[in-house]
Amino acid sequence: MLTTLATQAAAMHPGGWHDGDAPAFWPVFPITFGLFWLAVLGAAFYLIRRRMNATASAAAAAADPMAKARSVLAERFARGEIDEEEYLMRVSTLRNGD
């Protein structure tokens, strides 16, 4: 019974792509698939690299107390907590302390 059904199904279906010819656009799919995975890997590499650089710069800033002091001083000046004269005086004090 199964062989009869398989024979009938094979006889009704011509097989392949209409006499075995594939459509002309078939290479688009594997190329697109490969480009997709290249984009995914590139994005992962970019994000990992960016995170490593941020961690390294944060560690370098934490290791240098003078850089942290200059950063805090610049933030206070930007917020308006200190005026330009006081900022310049403190920056020169930090430079002389190096």
Side-chain angles (χ1 to χ4, degrees):
M1 181 169 149
L2 287 177
T3 20
T4 308
L5 288 175
T7 308
Q8 288 177 354
M12 291 181 353
H13 183 39
W17 292 89
H18 305 287
D19 298 329
D21 292 334
F25 60 85
W26 75 266
V28 171
F29 297 112
I31 291 170
T32 305
F33 186 70
L35 291 175
F36 169 75
W37 283 112
L38 283 175
V40 168
L41 291 174
F45 177 76
Y46 171 75
L47 292 174
I48 290 170
R49 183 76 175 190
R50 186 173 151 196
R51 184 170 184 138
M52 287 174 58
N53 286 343
T55 305
S57 64
D64 185 15
M66 292 304 260
K68 183 170 172 56
R70 283 188 211 105
S71 173
V72 169
L73 189 60
E75 287 176 13
R76 288 187 63 200
F77 179 64
R79 279 183 276 184
E81 294 177 8
I82 58 175
D83 62 349
E84 184 179 2
E85 183 180 325
E86 186 176 356
Y87 173 75
L88 292 174
M89 181 185 66
R90 289 180 185 227
V91 166
S92 68
T93 304
L94 283 174
R95 278 194 200 124
N96 293 336
D98 281 347

